Amino acid sequence: MGDMTDRFSLLQETIFREIQNAENVEKAVFTLRDGYSLGHVTYHLAQTIKGDLHIDSPFVRTTYPPEWIAIYLTRSYVTVDPVIKEGMRRSLPFDWSELEPTEEAMKMMVEFHAQGMGEFGYSIPITDKVGRRALLSVNSKPGERNWSKVVQSFRPDWMDLAHVLHKKAIIELFGDEDPVPILSPRELETLHWSAQGKDYKEISAIIGISEHTVRTYMRSARYKLNCANMSQAVAKALKLNLIDL
């Protein structure tokens, strides 16, 4: 058993280096697929940011064949895909056998298998420090009979590598200048109440800290958001989906 654990650790280390050195996320998902002898691998970042605008435009990289991608897009299967729906709601990894697909989703899965894809899968939700949601999904090869053992053996590897892929995607999208700053819970809380139209005194009473401290949190949030005034800071936080109304 010790030899098997060592072998798995060595495999993870090798794939980790190969993913880091991959030219882009597209090459990296193929590296993950081939390294673990999987059917397919998909990385899905739910929303991307361009400039100061929050845009619901997913960043997806997959090893699925173009024929299936074309069918998936043409028939708008993303609106019924149970893996995506559950993956963007859940915080813990899940096996596809746990899902209860709708009738529309069942039709999608039937066509999915008809296109030659394996019937088993496992998905790992990712939420980073600024609340971005992503999903790494791995799919079995057709005819796989030991999927539960495969998942049990490699799940820790995949969970670690999911975050490596996510970091690579963020760098690919934004380089070293990630447009979403990391704000503290208190900074986000004061921005939220400011967006509700509350002034410093009212926010102080609501969250139970001094008015001076409220001003301090809001000032630091404004600096992190690179805004000239609080109105701009609140508007930018809303656009970046850091707070809601």
Side-chain angles (χ1 to χ4, degrees):
M1 185 67 179
D3 291 342
M4 183 177 291
T5 303
D6 291 343
R7 179 166 60 83
F8 290 159
S9 298
L10 179 60
L11 175 60
Q12 183 195 40
E13 185 178 341
T14 300
I15 302 303
F16 170 79
R17 286 198 304 267
E18 290 181 358
I19 287 175
Q20 282 194 318
N21 294 332
E23 182 181 349
N24 49 43
V25 179
E26 184 173 6
K27 296 283 178 59
V29 294
F30 278 92
T31 294
L32 183 59
R33 182 197 68 178
D34 296 342
Y36 288 95
S37 298
L38 295 162
H40 291 286
V41 172
T42 300
Y43 168 83
H44 182 121
L45 175 60
Q47 295 164 322
T48 59
I49 307 290
K50 293 185 179 179
D52 286 345
L53 296 177
H54 175 80
I55 303 174
D56 188 5
S57 175
F59 174 89
V60 181
R61 296 295 182 268
T62 185
T63 66
Y64 285 131
E67 295 80 8
W68 169 246
I69 296 172
I71 292 170
Y72 189 90
L73 294 175
T74 301
R75 301 186 182 174
S76 299
Y77 278 149
V78 68
T79 61
V80 300
D81 190 337
V83 174
I84 297 298
K85 285 189 172 184
E86 287 298 312
M88 294 306 167
R89 283 200 295 254
R90 297 193 186 201
S91 57
L92 297 177
F94 58 94
D95 195 275
W96 293 1
S97 62
E98 300 172 29
L99 302 176
E100 297 181 2
T102 62
E103 185 177 343
E104 292 80 5
M106 284 297 296
K107 292 177 182 176
M108 184 201 79
M109 295 307 294
V110 167
E111 188 154 16
F112 178 76
H113 300 321
Q115 290 293 319
M117 261 67 80
E119 61 181 302
F120 304 113
Y122 190 78
S123 293
I124 302 167
I126 305 158
T127 303
D128 64 20
K129 291 182 178 180
V130 296
R132 282 175 296 224
R133 301 276 302 184
L135 187 68
L136 177 68
S137 296
V138 297
N139 173 230
S140 69
K141 287 183 175 179
E144 175 65 62
R145 292 290 176 266
N146 297 303
W147 181 245
S148 60
K149 291 182 179 180
V150 172
V151 172
Q152 185 178 8
S153 297
F154 295 119
R155 177 173 51 195
D157 286 19
W158 298 340
M159 291 175 67
D160 289 342
L161 295 172
H163 291 277
V164 177
L165 267 173
H166 180 63
K167 184 175 181 180
K168 192 174 189 71
I170 296 303
I171 291 173
E172 183 172 324
L173 280 165
F174 310 119
D176 294 329
E177 296 296 327
D178 190 336
V180 184
I182 298 176
L183 273 63
S184 72
R186 280 298 197 194
E187 289 167 342
L188 291 171
E189 191 174 13
T190 55
L191 282 171
H192 166 76
W193 287 113
S194 182
Q196 302 295 321
K198 307 299 183 182
D199 61 22
Y200 294 118
K201 187 175 181 179
E202 290 172 318
I203 296 172
S204 169
I206 290 169
I207 63 180
I209 60 178
S210 71
E211 187 176 336
H212 171 75
T213 305
V214 169
R215 290 178 180 274
T216 299
Y217 280 127
M218 295 186 75
R219 184 172 61 249
S220 63
R222 176 167 63 84
Y223 289 156
K224 288 181 180 180
L225 288 162
N226 195 30
C227 291
N229 54 55
M230 283 311 305
S231 295
Q232 290 180 5
V234 169
K236 187 171 184 177
L238 287 167
K239 288 178 180 178
L240 294 175
N241 207 34
L242 296 175
I243 60 172
D244 53 30
L245 290 172

